Every structure is written in C-alpha cells, then in structure tokens.
Coordinates of all heavy atoms in Angstrom, one line a residue:
M14 N -75.7 -55.6 72.6 CA -76.3 -54.8 71.6 C -75.5 -53.5 71.4 O -75.2 -52.9 72.4 CB -77.7 -54.5 71.9 CG -78.5 -53.7 70.8 SD -80.0 -53.1 71.5 CE -80.2 -51.7 70.5
V15 N -75.2 -53.2 70.2 CA -74.4 -51.9 70.0 C -75.4 -50.7 69.8 O -76.3 -50.8 69.0 CB -73.5 -52.1 68.8 CG1 -72.9 -50.8 68.4 CG2 -72.5 -53.2 69.0
L16 N -75.1 -49.7 70.6 CA -76.0 -48.5 70.4 C -75.2 -47.5 69.5 O -74.0 -47.3 69.6 CB -76.2 -47.9 71.7 CG -77.0 -48.7 72.7 CD1 -77.1 -47.9 74.1 CD2 -78.4 -48.9 72.2
K17 N -76.0 -46.9 68.6 CA -75.3 -46.0 67.7 C -76.0 -44.6 67.8 O -77.3 -44.5 68.0 CB -75.4 -46.4 66.3 CG -74.4 -47.5 66.0 CD -74.3 -47.9 64.6 CE -73.3 -49.0 64.3 NZ -73.4 -49.5 62.9
C18 N -75.2 -43.6 67.7 CA -75.8 -42.3 67.7 C -76.7 -42.0 66.5 O -76.3 -42.4 65.4 CB -74.6 -41.2 67.7 SG -75.1 -39.5 67.5
S19 N -77.9 -41.5 66.8 CA -78.8 -41.3 65.7 C -78.4 -40.2 64.8 O -79.0 -40.1 63.6 CB -80.2 -41.0 66.3 OG -80.6 -42.0 67.2
S20 N -77.5 -39.4 65.2 CA -77.1 -38.2 64.3 C -75.9 -38.6 63.5 O -75.9 -38.4 62.3 CB -76.8 -37.0 65.2 OG -77.9 -36.6 65.9
C21 N -74.8 -39.2 64.1 CA -73.6 -39.4 63.3 C -73.3 -40.8 63.1 O -72.4 -41.2 62.4 CB -72.4 -38.7 64.1 SG -72.0 -39.5 65.6
N22 N -74.1 -41.7 63.7 CA -74.0 -43.2 63.5 C -72.7 -43.8 64.1 O -72.4 -44.9 63.8 CB -74.0 -43.5 62.0 CG -75.2 -44.4 61.7 OD1 -76.2 -44.4 62.4 ND2 -75.0 -45.2 60.6
R23 N -72.1 -43.0 65.0 CA -71.0 -43.6 65.7 C -71.5 -44.5 66.8 O -72.6 -44.3 67.4 CB -70.1 -42.5 66.3 CG -69.0 -42.0 65.5 CD -68.1 -41.0 66.2 NE -68.7 -40.4 67.4 CZ -68.0 -40.2 68.6 NH1 -66.8 -40.6 68.6 NH2 -68.6 -39.7 69.6
E24 N -70.7 -45.5 67.2 CA -71.1 -46.3 68.3 C -70.9 -45.4 69.6 O -70.0 -44.7 69.7 CB -70.2 -47.5 68.5 CG -70.6 -48.6 67.5 CD -69.6 -49.8 67.7 OE1 -69.2 -50.1 68.8 OE2 -69.4 -50.5 66.6
V25 N -71.9 -45.6 70.5 CA -71.7 -44.8 71.7 C -71.6 -45.8 72.9 O -72.0 -46.9 72.9 CB -73.0 -43.9 71.9 CG1 -73.1 -42.8 70.9 CG2 -74.3 -44.7 72.0
F26 N -70.9 -45.3 73.9 CA -70.7 -46.1 75.1 C -71.3 -45.5 76.3 O -72.4 -45.7 76.7 CB -69.2 -46.5 75.2 CG -68.7 -47.2 74.0 CD1 -68.0 -46.5 73.0 CD2 -68.9 -48.6 73.9 CE1 -67.5 -47.1 71.9 CE2 -68.4 -49.2 72.8 CZ -67.7 -48.6 71.8
D27 N -70.5 -44.7 77.0 CA -71.0 -44.1 78.2 C -71.6 -42.7 78.0 O -72.6 -42.3 78.7 CB -69.9 -44.0 79.3 CG -69.6 -45.4 79.8 OD1 -70.4 -46.2 79.8 OD2 -68.4 -45.6 80.1
D28 N -71.0 -41.9 77.2 CA -71.4 -40.5 77.1 C -72.4 -40.3 76.0 O -72.1 -39.9 74.9 CB -70.1 -39.7 76.7 CG -69.2 -39.6 77.9 OD1 -69.7 -39.7 79.0 OD2 -68.0 -39.4 77.7
Y29 N -73.6 -40.6 76.4 CA -74.7 -40.4 75.4 C -76.0 -40.1 76.2 O -76.1 -40.5 77.4 CB -74.9 -41.6 74.4 CG -75.4 -42.8 75.1 CD1 -76.7 -43.1 75.2 CD2 -74.5 -43.7 75.6 CE1 -77.2 -44.3 75.8 CE2 -74.9 -44.9 76.2 CZ -76.2 -45.2 76.3 OH -76.7 -46.3 76.9
I30 N -76.9 -39.6 75.5 CA -78.3 -39.5 76.1 C -79.3 -40.2 75.2 O -79.1 -40.4 74.0 CB -78.8 -38.0 76.3 CG1 -78.6 -37.2 75.0 CG2 -78.0 -37.3 77.4 CD1 -79.3 -35.9 75.0
K31 N -80.3 -40.6 75.8 CA -81.3 -41.4 75.1 C -82.7 -40.9 75.5 O -83.0 -40.7 76.6 CB -81.1 -42.9 75.6 CG -81.9 -43.9 74.9 CD -81.4 -45.3 75.3 CE -82.0 -45.8 76.5 NZ -81.7 -47.2 76.8
F32 N -83.5 -40.7 74.5 CA -84.9 -40.3 74.8 C -85.8 -40.7 73.6 O -85.4 -41.0 72.5 CB -84.9 -38.7 74.9 CG -84.3 -38.0 73.7 CD1 -85.1 -37.6 72.6 CD2 -83.0 -37.7 73.7 CE1 -84.6 -36.9 71.6 CE2 -82.4 -37.0 72.6 CZ -83.2 -36.6 71.5
K33 N -87.0 -40.8 74.0 CA -88.0 -41.2 73.0 C -88.3 -40.1 72.0 O -88.3 -38.9 72.4 CB -89.3 -41.6 73.7 CG -89.3 -42.8 74.5 CD -90.0 -44.0 73.8 CE -89.7 -45.3 74.4 NZ -90.3 -45.5 75.7
C34 N -88.5 -40.4 70.8 CA -88.8 -39.4 69.8 C -90.0 -38.6 70.3 O -91.1 -39.2 70.6 CB -89.2 -40.1 68.5 SG -89.9 -39.0 67.2
P35 N -89.9 -37.3 70.3 CA -90.9 -36.4 70.8 C -92.2 -36.4 69.8 O -93.3 -36.0 70.2 CB -90.3 -35.0 70.9 CG -89.1 -35.1 70.0 CD -88.7 -36.5 69.9
A36 N -92.0 -36.8 68.6 CA -93.1 -36.8 67.7 C -94.0 -38.1 67.7 O -95.2 -38.1 67.9 CB -92.6 -36.5 66.3
C37 N -93.3 -39.2 67.6 CA -94.1 -40.5 67.5 C -94.0 -41.3 68.8 O -94.8 -42.2 69.1 CB -93.6 -41.3 66.3 SG -91.9 -42.0 66.5
G38 N -92.9 -41.0 69.6 CA -92.8 -41.7 70.9 C -92.5 -43.2 70.7 O -92.5 -43.9 71.7
K39 N -92.1 -43.6 69.6 CA -91.9 -45.1 69.3 C -90.5 -45.5 69.5 O -90.1 -46.5 70.1 CB -92.4 -45.4 67.9 CG -93.9 -45.6 67.9 CD -94.3 -46.0 66.4 CE -95.8 -45.9 66.2 NZ -96.1 -46.0 64.8
L40 N -89.6 -44.7 68.9 CA -88.3 -45.0 68.8 C -87.4 -44.2 69.8 O -87.8 -43.0 70.1 CB -87.7 -44.8 67.4 CG -88.0 -45.9 66.4 CD1 -87.3 -45.5 65.1 CD2 -87.6 -47.2 66.9
E41 N -86.4 -44.8 70.3 CA -85.5 -44.1 71.1 C -84.4 -43.5 70.3 O -83.8 -44.1 69.5 CB -84.9 -45.0 72.2 CG -85.9 -45.3 73.2 CD -85.3 -46.0 74.4 OE1 -84.4 -46.9 74.2 OE2 -85.7 -45.8 75.5
I42 N -84.2 -42.2 70.5 CA -83.1 -41.4 69.8 C -81.9 -41.5 70.7 O -82.0 -41.3 71.9 CB -83.5 -40.0 69.6 CG1 -84.9 -39.9 68.9 CG2 -82.5 -39.2 68.8 CD1 -85.0 -40.3 67.5
I43 N -80.8 -41.8 70.1 CA -79.5 -41.8 70.9 C -78.6 -40.7 70.3 O -78.4 -40.6 69.1 CB -78.9 -43.2 70.8 CG1 -79.8 -44.2 71.5 CG2 -77.5 -43.2 71.4 CD1 -79.5 -45.6 71.2
R44 N -78.1 -39.9 71.2 CA -77.1 -38.9 70.8 C -75.9 -39.0 71.6 O -75.9 -39.0 72.8 CB -77.7 -37.5 71.0 CG -78.9 -37.3 70.2 CD -79.4 -35.9 70.4 NE -78.9 -35.0 69.4 CZ -78.9 -33.7 69.5 NH1 -79.4 -33.1 70.6 NH2 -78.3 -32.9 68.6
C45 N -74.8 -39.0 70.8 CA -73.5 -39.0 71.5 C -73.2 -37.6 72.1 O -73.9 -36.7 71.7 CB -72.4 -39.5 70.6 SG -72.0 -38.3 69.3
E46 N -72.3 -37.6 73.0 CA -72.0 -36.4 73.7 C -71.5 -35.3 72.7 O -71.8 -34.1 72.9 CB -70.9 -36.9 74.7 CG -70.1 -35.9 75.5 CD -68.7 -36.0 75.0 OE1 -68.3 -36.8 74.2 OE2 -68.0 -35.1 75.5
K47 N -70.8 -35.7 71.7 CA -70.3 -34.8 70.7 C -71.5 -34.1 70.0 O -71.5 -32.9 69.8 CB -69.5 -35.5 69.7 CG -68.4 -34.7 69.1 CD -67.4 -35.7 68.3 CE -67.0 -35.1 67.0 NZ -66.4 -36.1 66.2
C48 N -72.4 -34.9 69.5 CA -73.5 -34.3 68.7 C -74.4 -33.5 69.6 O -75.0 -32.5 69.2 CB -74.4 -35.5 68.1 SG -73.5 -36.2 66.7
R49 N -74.5 -33.9 70.9 CA -75.3 -33.1 71.8 C -74.6 -31.7 72.0 O -75.3 -30.7 72.0 CB -75.4 -33.8 73.2 CG -76.5 -33.2 74.0 CD -76.5 -34.0 75.4 NE -75.2 -34.2 75.9 CZ -74.9 -34.6 77.1 NH1 -75.9 -34.9 78.0 NH2 -73.7 -34.8 77.5
A50 N -73.3 -31.7 72.2 CA -72.6 -30.5 72.4 C -72.7 -29.6 71.2 O -72.7 -28.3 71.3 CB -71.2 -30.8 72.7
M51 N -72.7 -30.2 70.0 CA -72.8 -29.4 68.8 C -74.2 -29.2 68.3 O -74.4 -28.6 67.2 CB -71.9 -30.1 67.7 CG -70.4 -30.0 68.0 SD -69.4 -31.1 67.0 CE -70.2 -30.8 65.4
S52 N -75.1 -29.7 69.0 CA -76.6 -29.5 68.6 C -76.8 -30.0 67.2 O -77.5 -29.4 66.4 CB -77.1 -28.1 68.8 OG -77.0 -27.7 70.2
V53 N -76.2 -31.2 66.9 CA -76.4 -31.8 65.6 C -77.9 -32.3 65.4 O -78.4 -32.8 66.4 CB -75.4 -32.9 65.3 CG1 -75.7 -33.6 64.0 CG2 -74.0 -32.4 65.4
K54 N -78.4 -32.1 64.3 CA -79.8 -32.5 64.1 C -79.9 -34.1 64.1 O -79.0 -34.7 63.7 CB -80.4 -32.1 62.8 CG -80.9 -30.6 62.9 CD -81.6 -30.3 61.6 CE -82.1 -28.8 61.6 NZ -82.6 -28.5 60.3
Y55 N -81.0 -34.6 64.5 CA -81.3 -36.0 64.4 C -82.6 -36.2 63.6 O -83.4 -35.3 63.6 CB -81.4 -36.7 65.8 CG -82.5 -36.1 66.6 CD1 -83.8 -36.6 66.5 CD2 -82.2 -35.1 67.6 CE1 -84.8 -36.1 67.3 CE2 -83.2 -34.6 68.4 CZ -84.6 -35.1 68.2 OH -85.5 -34.5 68.9
T56 N -82.7 -37.3 63.0 CA -83.9 -37.7 62.3 C -84.4 -39.0 62.9 O -83.7 -40.0 62.9 CB -83.7 -37.8 60.8 OG1 -83.0 -36.6 60.4 CG2 -84.9 -38.0 60.1
C57 N -85.7 -39.0 63.2 CA -86.3 -40.3 63.7 C -86.5 -41.2 62.5 O -87.2 -40.7 61.5 CB -87.6 -39.9 64.4 SG -88.6 -41.4 64.8
P58 N -86.0 -42.4 62.5 CA -86.2 -43.3 61.4 C -87.6 -43.7 61.2 O -88.0 -44.2 60.1 CB -85.3 -44.5 61.7 CG -84.6 -44.2 63.0 CD -85.2 -42.9 63.6
E59 N -88.4 -43.6 62.3 CA -89.8 -44.1 62.2 C -90.7 -43.1 61.5 O -91.4 -43.4 60.7 CB -90.2 -44.4 63.6 CG -91.7 -44.9 63.8 CD -91.8 -46.3 63.4 OE1 -90.8 -47.1 63.4 OE2 -92.9 -46.7 63.0
C60 N -90.6 -41.8 62.0 CA -91.6 -40.8 61.5 C -90.9 -39.7 60.7 O -91.6 -38.9 60.1 CB -92.4 -40.3 62.6 SG -91.4 -39.3 63.8
G61 N -89.6 -39.7 60.7 CA -88.9 -38.6 59.9 C -88.8 -37.3 60.6 O -88.4 -36.3 60.0
F62 N -89.2 -37.3 61.9 CA -89.1 -36.1 62.7 C -87.7 -35.6 62.8 O -86.8 -36.4 63.1 CB -89.8 -36.3 64.0 CG -89.6 -35.1 65.0 CD1 -90.5 -34.0 64.8 CD2 -88.6 -35.1 65.9 CE1 -90.4 -32.9 65.7 CE2 -88.5 -34.0 66.8 CZ -89.3 -32.9 66.7
E63 N -87.5 -34.3 62.6 CA -86.1 -33.8 62.7 C -86.1 -32.9 64.0 O -86.9 -32.0 64.1 CB -85.7 -33.0 61.5 CG -85.0 -33.8 60.5 CD -84.4 -32.9 59.4 OE1 -84.2 -31.6 59.6 OE2 -84.1 -33.4 58.4
G64 N -85.1 -33.1 64.8 CA -85.1 -32.3 66.0 C -83.7 -31.8 66.2 O -82.7 -32.3 65.7
P65 N -83.5 -30.7 67.0 CA -82.2 -30.1 67.3 C -81.5 -30.9 68.4 O -82.2 -31.6 69.2 CB -82.6 -28.7 67.8 CG -84.0 -28.8 68.3 CD -84.7 -30.0 67.6
Ligands
LIG16 ZN1 -73.2 -38.4 67.3
LIG17 ZN1 -90.5 -40.5 65.5

C-alpha cells in the first residue's frame, strides 16, 4: 500500500509522521518530513478539519 502525504500528496517512505485526525479521530493524517518542517496545513478528507 502506498502512503501519501495528506498535505502535498507525495508518496512517503521513511520520513513521515502519522497521526489520527484530532477532530474526528477516524482518519490517519500522514505528513512528509518536508511538510512537517514547513508546517504546511493539512485537511482531513473525512471531516474537513484543517490543522497546522
Ligand atoms: Zn508533504
Ligand atoms: Zn477528521
């Protein structure tokens, strides 16, 4: 299964973090190391929550 960064949609391999959406807790948000470093916003596809 290919994991993609929830912010930039790039495929991620080793350098990423994964956490449950803080709003709905249903989906896992994946952020690549680059987006994390730049604090790019992510949007939960399930509930539309936007986080830093
Ligand atoms: Zn990214
Ligand atoms: Zn959510």
Side-chain angles (χ1 to χ4, degrees):
M14 184 193 151
V15 174
L16 295 176
K17 285 189 179 172
C18 171
S19 304
S20 299
C21 67
N22 239 28
R23 263 185 350 137
E24 282 182 31
V25 294
F26 300 98
D27 290 330
D28 289 332
Y29 65 92
I30 51 165
K31 189 166 83 169
F32 54 92
K33 289 254 168 71
C34 168
C37 66
K39 282 181 193 167
L40 283 186
E41 287 191 321
I42 310 286
I43 293 167
R44 296 182 92 197
C45 68
E46 170 249 350
K47 206 168 140 194
C48 288
R49 194 182 45 168
M51 290 167 43
S52 296
V53 177
K54 277 188 181 170
Y55 60 85
T56 306
C57 171
E59 178 76 23
C60 67
F62 175 80
E63 265 191 20

